[in-house]
Structures are given as structure tokens and as C-alpha cells.
């Protein structure tokens, strides 16, 4: 999402500057936890990406308290003051906290609400951290999220996200839906490359929301039923517990883990899939599923939010209950009926090109950008739909 927005801005002649909270678990030297409170100061690390854009990784005071991650500290204020326009693109709205606290006008593009973003993750918290979350972090963050949503002009990633964010704000605050724009020229079908029985998923494999365990159980059920199914998981490595499940199910020879890929490599991989499978507990949209559909790959998904808008039963794929047997049956309905698979493939490609193209998303973005900053004029870099 961030890369798409900075691409829009750069093409229009703006100079994107990206700032983000760098988690303490990734770069502990930037933040100051309670035990180091009198020993150092919060830091920031500035780099540039391949396009020459400034990238500011910002630390926080007391990162144990999540509401401090985006608080308007001196470092955030300096970065904000250096920019003319302010856009928050994030998994949840809390990334705009410093913008609200400094009174800036901002445009937000948000993937999900705070509660859904962490619902599965908190199950792994220790008892002390759960107590902190229940009695301090949770109440503060809920109020903060509502305030951030009510202060800015917010776009939701999907209709599902729109409903969740309005609920979090306590009233209707979302100004529009801006789905992720898919590059339908890069992600396109190549029927000759499809491998029968090959299913796949793309995402943060370590994220508990992705429910990779259910996907592995569905694969085992497919193979137990006589299918020659294989699974490719793209997006990183599996944690030790999930790898143990792979071994317990004797799937080592039937699960591929190619790691992260470039967009071009991902497109080629998606072209080989017979079906794309989303086993998630919750998805704001699931951009990878749309990219798979652009490649002509039908999708099987749990009823997890965003995918319910484009996974249409027996039209572009199937929605299934969160149970291994049900998911295996839905996958078989695609992979074992080649005529149906062809029909679903054509419908999937057509739906993405009509509703989720990059041109459609970009038009929504600039419409709302001009609404926040009418003095900015109209960029000449995009075509109206």
C-alpha cells in the first residue's frame, strides 16, 4: 500500500518522505524501554530506498506501551514539519497519531481496525503483558483510534474495513473505499503454466491471523483423499511450531517455501497455481488473492472479511468454513473439474480488471487528496475512468 501511494506521488512530481515506527523487537537501539529510561534517548535512522526516497525509522519512549509508538515526540514533529502534505498509509489508523496530535490535516488509507489487526497476536502474550494490555494499552488505544479516525479524512481498503472502522470510531467517518490497485499487465494469466493440483498462499507466514496451520491441514486432507496436491507458501519462513506440524503431517516433500519474491517473480509463480487458498482468521482485503485472480487463479477463502467481496461462490472461487475438510472439498471442486476451473479463471480475471485496476485506485486517491488540499491542483499524471 505504501509503495503504491509513493509511486502516485512521485509521478505527480511530489517528493515522498516515509516515516514509520520501527518495532523495538527489530531495532532495539532506537527505542527506550522502561529499564533504559535514564540511559539513552529515542533515536531515528534515516536511509534512502532504491528510488531515492527518504525513509525514517523512528523509535519510541516506553515501547511496552503501544500508544507511545506514534506519539508526537520531537523526532516525529521535526519530520512532520519538513513536509507540506501528510498521508497515513498503514495496517491500522494509529499510524496517524502524531499527525492528529500536531493538528495537521491528513489523508489516511487504512487496511483494518486496531482490534482485528492484533486479535490473534495477543493470544501469544505472556500473562503480565495480557494484564497490561487489558487494563492500560487496550482502553487507551481504543480511544486513540477513535480520535484519529474522526480527525482525518480516512479511506478504507475494503467495504469490510469501512464497517469495522466506522464501528471503532463510534459513528460514520469513512469518506470512501480505495481498494488496492492491481497491475493487471504484470499479473496476467498464462494457462500453459498452470500445474494441476498446485495450490498456494502469499503473506506474512509468521502472522497468526494467516492461520497457516489450517492450510496445512487442508493439504493433508486433500492428499489423504487421493489428490496429488502440493502447496507453495510465499512470504518468508515458517516458525518452529508450524514446521513441526509440517513434519507431523508428513508433508515435507509437498510444501515449498521459496521465500520472498519480486513482483515479477511472484506473477510467474501465481501463474502456476491451480487455486489460491486463504485460510486466514481475518483479512482487511488480501491483496495477494487479487493478484492471483488477475493471473486467472480461482480463490478458496474462509469467511474472514475482505475476501468475501471478491470471492464469489462458483463464480470466482468458493468461500468455505474454517475447517480442513470443508476447505479441501472447496479446493477439489476447482482442481478436479477443469471446465469449472476455466470458467472461474475467466471470471476472476474479469472481476479484477473491472473493479481493482490501478487506474481505478489512483483516481480515488487523487479525488480525496484534492479534497484535503484543494490548493494542490489536479495532477496530470493519471487518467480518469
Amino acid at each position: 500500500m505504501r509503495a503504491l501511494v509513493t509511486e502516485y506521488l512521485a509521478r505527480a512530481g511530489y517528493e515522498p518522505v516515509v516515516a514509520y515506527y520501527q518495532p523495538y523487537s527489530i531495532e532495539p537501539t532506537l527505542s527506550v524501554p522502561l529499564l533504559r529510561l535514564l540511559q539513552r534517548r529515542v533515536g531515528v535512522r534515516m536511509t534512502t530506498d532504491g528510488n531515492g526516497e527518504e525513509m525514517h525509522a523512528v523509535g519510541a519512549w516506553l515501547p511496552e506501551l503501544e500508544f507511545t509508538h506514534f506519539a508526537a515526540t520531537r523526532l516525529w514533529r521535526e519530520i512532520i514539519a519538513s513536509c507540506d502534505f501528510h498521508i497515513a498509509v498503514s495496517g491500522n489508523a494509529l499510524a496517524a497519531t502524531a499527525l492528529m496530535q500536531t493538528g495537521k490535516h491528513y489523508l489516511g488509507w487504512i487496511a483494518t481496525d486496531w482490534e482485528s489487526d492484533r486479535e490473534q497476536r495477543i493470544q501469544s502474550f505472556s500473562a503480565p503483558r495480557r494484564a497490561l494490555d487489558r487494563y492500560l494499552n487496550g482502553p487507551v488505544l481504543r480511544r486513540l483510534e477513535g480520535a484519529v479516525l474522526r480527525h482525518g479524512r480516512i479511506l478504507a481498503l475494503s467495504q469490510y474495513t469501512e464497517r469495522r472502522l466506522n464501528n471503532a470510531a463510534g459513528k460514520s467517518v469513512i469518506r470512501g473505499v480505495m481498494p488496492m490497485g492491481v497491475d493487471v499487465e504484470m499479473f496476467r494469466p498464462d494457462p500453459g503454466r498452470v500445474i494441476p493440483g498446485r495450490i498456494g498462499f502469499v503473506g506474512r507466514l509468521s502472522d497468526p491471523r494467516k492461520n497457516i496451520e489450517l492450510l496445512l491441514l487442508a493439504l493433508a486432507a486433500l492428499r489423504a483423499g487421493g489428490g496429488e496436491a502440493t502447496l507453495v507458501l510465499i512470504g518468508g519462513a515458517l516458525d518452529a511450531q508450524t514446521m513441526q506440524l509440517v513434519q507431523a503431517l508428513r508433508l515435507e516433500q509437498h510444501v515449498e517455501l521459496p521465500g520472498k519474491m519480486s513482483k515479477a517473480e511472484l506473477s510467474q509463480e501465481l501463474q502456476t497455481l491451480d487455486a489460491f487458498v486463504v485460510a486466514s482468521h481475518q483479512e482487511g482485503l488480501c491483496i495477494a488473492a487479487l493478484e492471483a485472480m488477475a493471473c486467472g487463479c480461482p480463490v478458496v477463502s474462509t469467511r474472514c472479511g475482505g475476501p468475501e467481496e471478491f470471492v464469489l461462490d462458483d463464480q470466482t472461487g468458493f468461500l468455505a468454513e474454517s475447517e480442513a475438510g470443508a476447505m479441501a472439498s472447496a479446493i477439489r471442486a476447482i482442481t478436479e473439474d477443469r471446465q469449472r476451473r476455466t470458467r472461474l479463471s475467466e471470471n476472476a480475471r474479469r472481476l479484477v480488471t473491472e473493479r481493482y485496476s490501478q487506474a481505478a485506485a489512483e483516481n480515488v486517491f487523487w479525488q480525496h487528496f484534492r479534497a484535503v488540499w484543494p490548493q494542490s491542483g489536479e495532477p496530470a499524471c493519471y487518467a480518469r475512468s
Side-chain angles (χ1 to χ4, degrees):
M1 291 171 62
R2 191 277 302 170
L4 196 65
V5 168
T6 53
E7 178 186 332
Y8 294 164
L9 293 168
R11 282 212 314 267
Y14 295 103
E15 183 181 343
V17 174
V18 179
Y20 57 96
Y21 165 66
Q22 181 72 302
Y24 179 72
S25 59
I26 295 177
E27 198 164 353
T29 58
L30 294 181
S31 294
V32 183
L34 180 62
L35 295 177
R36 298 284 185 270
L37 198 56
L38 301 178
Q39 300 175 19
R40 64 177 188 234
R41 300 180 64 82
V42 172
V44 60
R45 178 177 51 79
M46 197 276 279
T47 58
T48 56
D49 71 359
N51 297 318
E53 296 169 2
E54 287 185 26
M55 307 286 290
H56 298 262
V58 185
W61 294 103
L62 300 176
E64 305 94 329
L65 305 175
E66 290 185 36
F67 52 84
T68 65
H69 292 179
F70 296 99
T73 60
R74 176 184 58 82
L75 295 175
W76 278 106
R77 290 174 182 273
E78 289 175 354
I79 296 169
I80 290 169
S82 72
C83 299
D84 299 310
F85 308 106
H86 303 92
I87 304 169
V89 180
S90 183
N92 65 64
L94 294 171
T97 298
L99 298 175
M100 179 194 69
Q101 292 175 341
T102 53
K104 297 296 183 182
H105 295 294
Y106 57 87
L107 175 64
W109 186 27
I110 308 302
T112 190
D113 60 294
W114 168 79
E115 202 81 58
S116 298
D117 196 31
R118 68 203 299 275
E119 185 175 2
Q120 300 301 317
R121 182 162 47 90
I122 61 176
Q123 295 181 11
S124 64
F125 286 1
S126 64
R129 189 174 177 188
R130 285 191 183 188
L132 180 67
D133 194 71
R134 179 177 181 180
Y135 296 108
L136 182 57
N137 273 330
V140 173
L141 287 166
R142 288 186 187 93
R143 289 196 297 271
L144 187 58
E145 179 186 32
V148 168
L149 290 169
R150 292 188 292 269
H151 184 85
R153 188 180 187 92
I154 307 297
L155 302 176
L157 182 64
S158 66
Q159 294 171 4
Y160 164 78
T161 302
E162 179 181 22
R163 294 191 297 270
R164 298 287 301 188
L165 294 178
N166 282 334
N167 182 64
K171 65 177 185 177
S172 180
V173 295
I174 302 306
R175 300 299 187 90
V177 173
M178 177 180 162
M180 183 69 182
V182 176
D183 186 343
V184 294
E185 294 303 316
M186 175 175 288
F187 293 94
R188 58 186 308 112
D190 187 346
R193 302 191 72 239
V194 175
I195 300 173
R198 184 176 174 84
I199 62 176
F201 175 74
V202 182
R204 296 188 303 276
L205 304 182
S206 60
D207 185 344
R209 286 185 303 164
K210 305 305 180 183
N211 202 8
I212 300 301
E213 293 82 359
L214 175 58
L215 185 48
L216 293 170
L217 291 170
L219 174 64
L222 283 169
R223 296 194 61 81
E228 291 298 319
T230 59
L231 171 64
V232 56
L233 295 172
I234 304 167
L238 296 178
D239 59 35
Q241 183 177 348
T242 308
M243 281 302 302
Q244 288 175 1
L245 179 60
V246 171
Q247 295 163 1
L249 295 172
R250 299 183 179 179
L251 295 175
E252 299 98 317
Q253 303 303 314
H254 312 293
V255 175
E256 298 178 31
L257 293 163
K260 296 181 180 180
M261 296 182 173
S262 68
K263 286 291 186 181
E265 292 169 335
L266 178 58
S267 174
Q268 293 178 349
E269 191 66 50
L270 292 175
Q271 289 172 344
T272 70
L273 299 182
D274 215 6
F276 187 93
V277 185
V278 182
S280 302
H281 294 290
Q282 186 272 340
E283 290 282 352
L285 184 66
C286 195
I287 296 161
L290 287 171
E291 292 172 338
M293 286 172 55
C295 292
C297 181
V299 175
V300 171
S301 176
T302 54
R303 300 178 187 277
C304 57
E308 295 177 63
E309 296 174 18
F310 53 83
V311 180
L312 309 178
D313 270 327
D314 207 21
Q315 296 182 49
T316 62
F318 290 98
L319 292 169
E321 298 304 316
S322 298
E323 188 271 324
M327 297 206 75
S329 295
I331 296 168
R332 276 195 296 267
I334 296 172
T335 60
E336 296 181 3
D337 185 337
R338 304 318 293 176
Q339 288 187 334
R340 169 183 273 165
R341 202 273 178 191
T342 298
R343 174 172 58 83
L344 297 181
S345 171
E346 293 171 351
N347 290 342
R349 169 71 181 180
R350 185 180 306 113
L351 184 144
V352 173
T353 56
E354 291 176 355
R355 299 187 193 176
Y356 297 95
S357 69
Q358 286 190 330
E362 187 169 2
N363 284 340
V364 173
F365 173 79
W366 287 118
Q367 172 192 342
H368 290 276
F369 185 95
R370 294 196 313 275
V372 180
W373 300 288
Q375 74 277 16
S376 64
E378 182 169 308
C381 63
Y382 76 104
R384 295 184 181 277
S385 59

